Structure formats: C-alpha cells, structure tokens
Amino acid sequence: MKNFIKELIPYVIIIVVVVLIRMFIVTPVQVDGNSMYPTLKDNEILLLKKYDQKYKRFDIVVLNYNNSKLIKRIIGLPGEHIEYKDNKLYVNGKYVKERFKRNTETSDFEIDKKIPKGYYFVMGDNRDNSTDSRMIGFISKNDLEGVSDIALFPFDRFGSVK
C-alpha cells in the first residue's frame, strides 16, 4: 500500500498543478459566433491569459455576461467619453485610429456619459452582429476574465491575433 501511494504522489502533483494553471494563469477559450469577425471566426480556440489584468484599448477580452462568456474588444477605458462619427472612433473628442479590421455599416453613436471608474466599453469587430456595450452597458473590471490574444486552433491561425 505504501508503494502504491508513493507511485501515486507524482500524478496527484501533476493534476493539482494543471488545475491551478487553468484556474489562475491560462486556459483555452472557444469563439462562439461571429461577433468578432473578421478578426476571429466561430469555433476558433484562443488562449486566455487570466493573469493579465492591465487592460488597454483594443485588447481582446473574455467577459462574463448572463452566465455566458463573451469575447469582445475594449474600445473605451474608465473616465473616457466615446463617440463614433462617420464610422470613426473619437475618445474625449479626439480621433483614434482603429488598427484592426472590422465589419460595420453601423450608424454613428455617442455615449451620453463618461465611462465610470472600474468599467470598460467593449464592442465586437462585427459591429452589425454583436451584443456589446451598446446594448448591455459598461462592463465591470470584475466581469473581465483576462486578455486573449493568442490563437491556438485552427493551426493555420496559430499565433498572435489583434
């Protein structure tokens, strides 16, 4: 019995380490739907970096909403005023170039108040087919799980996504 326990210990340690890594460091996530098209496609698998909690504009993040996980892009940061005029992003009245492909025919809009402290404004890259902050409101930092900027599958897409 003692030998059996000695042989079992390395396997238990490996299982504990793997579980801890998935809970606190990185975990795979699957894209569900086309709200991030053309950047991400349905069923792609990304690596979610849970340790990365320093969110920047245009980061691709995974968030919790109504007991499901959504993948969106951060457009607005706490304290900012966001506006789209002529399909261009303006932050606090200044034009900001979006350096990623997006799919949109969406009409212009403006947020009528500043983004509160501890909250973010997120949107999908497929603006005409995305449930995002325009509908569900600002996203609390507590609802963000981390940044996802590495594609794992399909293998022809392996590597960095922006």
Side-chain angles (χ1 to χ4, degrees), residues 58-161:
F58 305 139
D59 278 350
I60 296 173
V61 295
V62 175
L63 60 105
N64 294 309
Y65 177 71
N66 280 350
N67 296 320
S68 63
K69 298 194 184 318
L70 303 178
I71 299 175
K72 303 295 174 192
R73 188 180 297 275
I74 292 179
I75 300 298
L77 304 172
E80 294 181 337
H81 180 263
I82 300 296
E83 181 178 9
Y84 273 88
K85 283 192 276 188
D86 299 322
N87 220 3
K88 294 179 182 172
L89 172 63
Y90 290 85
V91 177
N92 297 330
K94 295 181 181 172
Y95 170 68
V96 175
K97 183 169 178 64
E98 295 176 289
R99 300 183 189 281
F100 53 90
K101 292 180 182 178
R102 48 190 180 103
N103 187 23
T104 183
E105 293 179 17
T106 304
S107 59
D108 299 339
F109 70 90
E110 180 176 0
I111 302 172
D112 59 351
K113 61 181 181 174
K114 285 187 177 185
I115 301 169
K117 183 178 180 179
Y119 286 82
Y120 295 85
F121 187 86
V122 299
M123 293 177 73
D125 291 355
N126 188 357
R127 305 285 165 85
D128 298 327
N129 186 22
S130 176
T131 300
D132 52 41
S133 286
R134 294 171 293 173
M135 296 91 188
I136 64 177
F138 302 125
I139 304 301
S140 168
K141 183 174 184 174
N142 296 333
D143 290 326
L144 297 176
E145 289 197 10
V147 175
S148 190
D149 60 0
I150 298 171
L152 298 176
F153 186 82
F155 296 120
D156 65 334
R157 296 261 305 153
F158 185 83
S160 180
V161 294

Side-chain angles (χ1 to χ4, degrees), residues 4 7 16 53-55 62 124 143 156:
F4 175 74
E7 289 179 17
V16 168
Q53 301 287 311
K54 295 178 180 144
Y55 303 109
V62 175
D143 290 326
D156 65 334

